Amino acid sequence: PPRVRRGSGPPGETCPGGVVLVISLRDATAADLGPPPPPGDLAPHVLVVEDDPLVCDMLQQTLAFGGYRTTGALDGREALRCLDRADYDAVVTDIVMPHVDGVELIQHLRRCHPRIGVVAVSGDSDADSAVYLRIARHLGVGATVAKPFGALELLSAVAQALAVRRA
């Protein structure tokens, strides 16, 4: 199954933190992916906030493959600037980041952009990750995902966050 995993060597590219993103939807069915987003400009716009540039790029590629329009930001401060310049339907944010962390970003989104669906992602350490994701759920995110995770899990979490915010 498609996975984001820690390790080195093929397949995929290794980033400085040793994260390898392997995307393979070869065995995925339409039921796994859920309903496709609308095409082109009607597709939901997702802001991906991840401080590792390679992981940010690969998350955007996964979402683009799923039919979403994406924009990337490498920290919470950059994400806040993006939110001032464009409209987004969803935000996928890491929790542990420099400058403005994911918790601060989620609080800002809940206050200033309550209609944006939010997916919180964490994989700092197993114990810390669980605490961070619990805090994110308490703040009202639409979905949480613990690293490592697969492409289908990411696509499903974004769809869930979009559904929660529109409900």
Side-chain angles (χ1 to χ4, degrees):
R3 300 297 296 169
V4 174
R5 64 170 195 232
R6 296 213 177 267
S8 61
E13 292 187 44
T14 304
C15 67
V19 175
V20 178
L21 179 62
V22 179
I23 301 173
S24 171
L25 298 176
R26 179 184 51 195
D27 299 322
T29 66
D32 292 328
L33 297 173
D41 289 341
L42 298 176
H45 193 184
V46 180
L47 176 61
V48 176
V49 189
E50 165 61 58
D51 59 327
D52 184 310
L54 288 175
V55 173
C56 186
D57 184 57
M58 290 185 200
L59 293 173
Q60 288 184 80
Q61 288 179 32
T62 300
L63 291 168
F65 180 83
Y68 296 98
R69 294 179 296 134
T70 66
T71 299
L74 295 177
D75 61 44
R77 187 182 304 156
E78 185 179 349
L80 292 173
R81 286 192 296 269
C82 289
L83 289 163
D84 285 340
R85 291 191 305 258
D87 292 327
Y88 297 93
D89 299 292
V91 172
V92 175
T93 183
D94 193 9
I95 298 292
V96 180
M97 298 181 295
H99 310 299
V100 175
D101 68 26
V103 170
E104 293 171 289
L105 179 59
I106 292 166
Q107 290 172 328
H108 173 82
L109 288 165
R110 296 289 52 101
R111 256 190 337 269
C112 301
H113 306 277
R115 301 288 300 156
I116 294 177
V118 181
V119 176
V121 175
S122 185
D124 188 34
S125 73
D126 290 337
D128 290 343
S129 179
V131 171
Y132 294 140
L133 294 177
R134 192 168 36 250
I135 291 168
R137 281 189 294 275
H138 178 73
L139 292 172
V141 301
T144 59
V145 181
K147 294 177 186 175
F149 55 86
L152 294 177
E153 189 175 356
L154 175 64
L155 293 170
S156 175
V158 171
Q160 179 182 345
L162 287 167
V164 167
R165 295 318 306 165
R166 292 190 176 132

